[in-house]
Amino acid sequence: MFLSGMKLVDIAASLGVPAGTVRRWKSTGGWERKGERSASVRAGKANVRPIDKQLASEINKAAELTDKERLFCLRYVKTFNATASAIAAGYSRESAGQAGWNLLQKEHIRSEVKRLKEIKADALLADASDVVEKYLQIAFADLSDFVEWGRYTVDVIGPFGPIEVDGKRLTQDVNDVRFKDSACVDAGIVTEVKLGKSGASIRLADRMKALQWLSDYFEMNPSDQHRREYDRRKMELELLRIQREAAPPEQDAPDDGFMDALNATAGGGWDPDAPDDSSADWDGEA
């Protein structure tokens, strides 16, 4: 109907659905008439991801599905929410819950959803192992992977530049924190980088939640190949905690709360509602 030249409002009237629903179909499905380009494409901003376009193209091959069923399947493989997917496909909000459940009971719907999920997984080239590795990176991120700190010798600067005495520049030792180049770090676990009047700061993804996720995952999958690496890193941190406790007070490293978070996670006492004070957040003078 769209390709024949009908207006979206006329399509909606013919199908007995709201005009907004048809406009959403056009947007999510990437509808285009021959020789016509969408406003977003004209502006150079595609509003549909390549994977979504691929799934939309693949589902058109499922001739046994109705248009509503196609839209339901496309939405479901993105959200896994049957009710929301039914609403997006054009079912009324009042009956969407029952409609979504009924659709998932149909064998041809289940088969199509499974096929689309496999296509999506192949396109993303990711599996459960990749997810576990990412959480391991977040949970055991090393501060030194992202910043360098120490005492550096710098020139003493006056109103007119470096100060010299008897032909030699005056220098002083200062504490400094420096970010490593973004090309040299794993930016995938960095959630925020700021540069303000008080200096610069960097924040990593929440490692307390990552530890909790890993603890729950390995409890359900005790034979996972990453379990040994997880246990080894936990043991290293436990040894570090023991060394800190045994060291003289003046040698104690400042407590960043990480060990408490790790111990609480291992003991099942982690509070998901507690404020996050252990994520990596480091400030230094710019």
Side-chain angles (χ1 to χ4, degrees):
M1 295 166 73
F2 174 79
L3 293 177
S4 68
M6 287 184 65
K7 296 181 178 180
L8 299 183
V9 291
D10 295 333
I11 296 175
S14 299
L15 298 177
V17 299
T21 298
V22 180
R23 285 194 293 271
R24 184 168 60 250
W25 292 349
K26 180 179 183 297
S27 175
T28 58
W31 296 1
E32 291 182 16
R33 296 189 180 99
K34 186 176 181 181
E36 179 183 81
R37 304 180 70 187
S38 66
S40 61
V41 173
R42 287 196 300 269
K45 297 179 181 179
N47 60 353
V48 181
R49 299 181 303 168
I51 181 61
D52 294 334
K53 289 185 176 181
Q54 181 180 353
L55 293 178
S57 174
E58 286 291 336
I59 203 168
N60 287 331
K61 300 176 182 179
E64 71 277 10
L65 298 179
T66 66
D67 289 340
K68 279 190 173 183
E69 289 175 340
R70 288 192 179 94
L71 286 169
F72 174 82
C73 292
L74 281 175
R75 187 68 177 180
Y76 187 75
V77 296
K78 291 179 63 176
T79 65
F80 298 105
N81 185 317
T83 300
S85 300
I87 294 174
Y91 292 88
S92 68
R93 291 182 177 274
E94 292 75 16
S95 62
Q98 185 63 43
W101 188 87
N102 290 338
L103 287 168
L104 290 177
Q105 307 314 305
K106 298 180 179 181
E107 185 59 35
H108 66 290
I109 295 288
R110 297 172 68 88
S111 298
E112 184 62 16
V113 167
K114 182 178 180 180
R115 188 176 74 91
L116 293 177
K117 285 171 60 179
E118 292 173 349
I119 293 172
K120 185 177 180 180
D122 290 341
L124 294 175
L125 297 177
D127 56 21
S129 177
D130 298 309
V131 176
V132 175
E133 288 184 359
K134 179 58 67 176
Y135 273 108
L136 284 171
Q137 292 173 14
I138 294 172
F140 300 103
D142 190 332
L143 173 64
S144 61
D145 291 338
F146 299 89
V147 297
E148 297 175 337
W149 64 93
R151 293 185 60 80
Y152 300 90
T153 301
V154 298
D155 293 332
V156 177
I157 305 298
F160 307 103
I163 298 177
E164 294 187 2
V165 176
D166 297 332
K168 294 183 179 180
R169 288 189 176 184
L170 291 181
T171 61
Q172 61 180 341
D173 290 338
V174 297
N175 296 320
D176 194 15
V177 178
R178 303 176 183 180
F179 293 166
K180 292 189 176 180
D181 192 280
S182 60
C184 303
V185 301
D186 179 9
I189 64 175
V190 176
T191 61
E192 182 182 67
V193 177
K194 293 191 301 183
L195 183 61
K197 293 181 179 179
S198 60
S201 65
I202 182 172
R203 182 179 292 274
L204 303 186
D206 191 333
R207 55 186 174 189
M208 285 180 65
K209 292 182 179 179
L211 283 166
Q212 181 64 40
W213 188 93
L214 288 167
S215 178
D216 294 341
Y217 177 82
F218 289 128
E219 184 176 343
M220 294 185 293
N221 302 272
S223 59
D224 186 271
Q225 59 177 333
H226 299 91
R227 180 62 186 264
R228 181 176 297 179
E229 176 68 10
Y230 173 73
D231 291 338
R232 181 185 68 80
R233 294 193 182 189
K234 279 184 58 178
M235 180 62 69
E236 290 177 351
L237 290 175
E238 178 64 18
L239 292 174
L240 178 60
R241 183 184 67 80
I242 295 174
Q243 292 172 359
R244 285 180 175 179
E245 293 178 350
E250 63 273 15
Q251 297 182 18
D252 269 344
D255 182 13
D256 62 0
F258 186 32
M259 290 310 304
D260 289 340
L262 182 66
N263 294 333
T265 302
W270 179 71
D271 181 4
D273 297 323
D276 174 24
D277 60 356
S278 65
S279 58
D281 187 4
W282 309 297
D283 295 335
E285 291 301 320

